[in-house]
Amino acid sequence: MIWRKESNMKYTDMCIFIDENVSKIVNPGENPDLENKIYNYLWLLIKALAIKKRMFSNFSDYDPYAFYGATRIFFALRKNIWNQGKVIKGKEIKPIKSCLNYVKALLHPMKLEYQKESFSEIISAEFTSKKFDAFQLRENLKIQAQDAHGVDETFREYIMESMRDSDVILDRVLEKCPFTKDSVDYYRLKITILLNCYAMLKKHKKLNSVPDSITMWKLPKSLNGYVKVLMSEFFTELKKEIMDCYNESAIDDSMLDYLISAPEGATNYEEWH
């Protein structure tokens, strides 16, 4: 991935290259190097146009917006080739002759969709965090009751197993990033997230809110905002996993009520099964 436009390359040259070569990527995976180059040029173009139009007040939004826009435009260009000449919803699909004009026409609609998606992710993260906080505030009597019946140990085993699979959870989060799993940029992005998680655990003994300062590993500092978004999603998925583990190991509420209200020493509750 080229993060900055080469000095001898003009944006108009990038657009001409895309227009001349987009027909060669009609079959996914047939020309991976060309696919990456076209996607990269779209990313650089969309970011440059967005900055020029001052579309965001927060500069950290430009990189993730460029990823979102480049992905949308890339697949739209390919789909246009597939459907040229067809009549879909009463309208004949005509070829996109200029990717530059196409991008300019969609800059603001894509901004609205990007902000809507980002807002939904923030709401989801906040909702999960609130559920997680409530989950942590279980009544002491219930905790004691569960501990007495081996729930803590079962929960601990589930958590350890899930944490061993945290790499899989992170890969699931990174499915939406534009890089393939075998690419250098994917590897650098994953290492960057893991390094920052390690630093947080070492300093705060927990993973919660994303830190203001992000350490980038062989990635440009401009991706700071994009990495924060991915880290927030990773933490959200981890919280969901922890709550799922708890639900799997916990005694149901009716049983807990019985254990709490039962006379001291009463442990026979087979009639509840």
Side-chain angles (χ1 to χ4, degrees):
M1 186 85 173
I2 301 172
W3 303 106
R4 291 185 179 181
K5 181 181 71 67
E6 298 167 353
S7 58
N8 60 341
M9 174 70 77
K10 298 179 180 178
Y11 287 108
T12 51
D13 293 333
M14 292 182 186
C15 294
I16 292 171
F17 180 88
I18 295 171
D19 292 337
E20 290 179 346
N21 291 279
V22 70
S23 61
K24 299 175 184 176
I25 61 166
V26 64
N27 297 319
E30 192 172 78
N31 294 299
D33 291 339
L34 184 58
E35 288 181 7
N36 291 337
K37 192 169 187 177
I38 288 176
Y39 181 91
N40 201 163
Y41 281 0
L42 286 171
W43 187 87
L44 290 167
L45 174 65
I46 291 170
K47 182 179 179 181
L49 289 173
I51 292 174
K52 184 178 180 180
K53 291 180 177 293
R54 299 180 180 177
M55 292 176 64
F56 298 98
S57 57
N58 191 340
F59 198 82
S60 63
D61 274 316
Y62 287 109
D63 277 322
Y65 170 70
F67 279 121
Y68 177 83
T71 302
R72 286 280 302 272
I73 298 296
F74 180 89
F75 287 109
L77 292 174
R78 175 180 279 164
K79 189 175 181 180
N80 176 261
I81 297 174
W82 289 344
N83 294 329
Q84 280 179 26
K86 297 179 181 178
V87 177
I88 299 177
K89 296 182 179 180
K91 184 178 180 180
E92 182 181 352
I93 305 300
K94 296 181 179 180
I96 298 173
K97 296 181 178 180
S98 170
C99 69
L100 178 58
N101 291 338
Y102 189 68
V103 167
K104 285 181 176 179
L106 291 179
L107 271 182
H108 284 284
M110 287 195 303
K111 175 187 175 181
L112 296 177
E113 289 299 318
Y114 163 75
Q115 290 177 321
K116 181 180 178 181
E117 186 174 299
S118 298
F119 180 73
S120 297
E121 289 173 354
I122 291 171
I123 293 299
S124 175
E126 289 179 349
F127 178 72
T128 300
S129 292
K130 287 178 181 178
K131 285 181 64 179
F132 190 75
D133 291 340
F135 152 79
Q136 290 179 308
L137 296 175
R138 298 281 182 178
E139 298 92 338
N140 287 333
L141 283 175
K142 288 186 176 182
I143 293 175
Q144 292 171 9
Q146 293 184 125
D147 185 47
H149 290 83
V151 173
D152 276 358
E153 185 59 35
T154 304
F155 177 51
R156 191 176 297 109
E157 290 175 3
Y158 284 173
I159 285 293
M160 291 301 294
E161 183 178 347
S162 294
M163 291 305 99
R164 282 192 289 268
D165 290 337
S166 59
D167 187 65
V168 176
I169 297 173
L170 180 53
D171 282 332
R172 192 165 66 233
V173 170
L174 293 179
E175 283 179 358
K176 64 170 60 181
C177 87
F179 313 125
T180 57
K181 287 187 69 172
D182 59 348
S183 68
V184 173
D185 290 308
Y186 184 97
Y187 177 73
R188 289 174 177 172
L189 188 58
K190 189 171 183 177
I191 292 298
T192 294
I193 293 173
L194 291 174
L195 282 175
N196 283 281
C197 288
Y198 174 74
M200 288 182 66
L201 285 173
K202 190 175 180 180
K203 183 176 181 180
H204 303 292
K205 309 300 182 184
K206 62 181 180 179
L207 296 175
N208 201 351
S209 59
V210 177
D212 294 330
S213 178
I214 298 289
T215 301
M216 307 299 285
W217 190 74
K218 297 185 178 181
L219 288 174
K221 291 182 179 179
S222 62
L223 284 183
N224 188 292
Y226 186 58
V227 171
K228 285 183 179 181
V229 170
L230 293 175
M231 286 184 66
S232 177
E233 292 180 20
F234 180 45
F235 294 168
T236 298
E237 292 301 314
L238 285 176
K239 289 175 182 177
K240 290 179 181 177
E241 188 72 20
I242 291 171
M243 288 188 286
D244 286 344
C245 288
Y246 182 84
N247 291 332
E248 285 292 325
S249 61
I251 302 172
D252 64 65
D253 287 341
S254 59
M255 179 61 72
L256 283 170
D257 290 338
Y258 170 75
L259 292 172
I260 293 169
S261 60
E264 185 176 352
T267 57
N268 184 12
Y269 50 87
E270 291 180 357
E271 68 271 16
W272 284 73
H273 291 273

